[in-house]
Amino acid sequence: AATFTDLDRFTHLYMYNPFPGAIMEQVMANVAASLSRNPREFTVIYMHPCYHEAIMKSGLFRMEKEMRFQKELHGACRIYVHEAADRR
């Protein structure tokens, strides 16, 4: 995941507690590079958001929504949105 950089054709990224924090930071750097090359709206759907900080630290996204599920250990899903005009 840290070396995947072919993101320019995507507008959504779905993750299910996918990897450790250091890799998540690199994924966010790859997303940032993609959005710089190809400005567009971009949504991250993140189940079990253990590394929420890495997404927010990127400065690219705002948390749009959080949904909680009581039966699961880390039962949450967060939706993060980057709008094409956002340059935070």
Side-chain angles (χ1 to χ4, degrees):
T3 61
F4 183 74
T5 58
D6 186 22
L7 294 163
D8 292 2
R9 58 195 168 116
F10 298 104
T11 58
H12 290 75
L13 177 62
Y14 174 81
M15 299 182 290
Y16 187 94
N17 187 20
F19 12 74
I23 294 174
M24 178 64 89
E25 289 178 9
Q26 184 58 52
V27 168
M28 286 296 104
N30 294 343
V31 169
S34 174
L35 291 171
S36 178
R37 282 189 306 272
N38 180 20
R40 64 200 181 278
E41 292 182 6
F42 197 89
T43 301
V44 174
I45 304 161
Y46 188 10
M47 289 292 297
H48 305 289
C50 296
Y51 296 103
H52 162 82
E53 304 83 26
I55 293 175
M56 298 311 294
K57 186 174 139 185
S58 75
L60 295 169
F61 295 94
R62 63 180 164 74
M63 191 175 76
E64 175 79 11
K65 189 173 195 176
E66 178 179 58
M67 296 166 279
R68 293 212 166 260
F69 311 102
Q70 293 180 358
K71 293 183 179 183
E72 298 182 34
L73 180 62
H74 300 286
C77 176
R78 291 185 179 156
I79 311 292
Y80 303 88
V81 175
H82 170 81
E83 296 174 8
D86 281 0
R87 299 291 177 211
R88 292 183 245 176

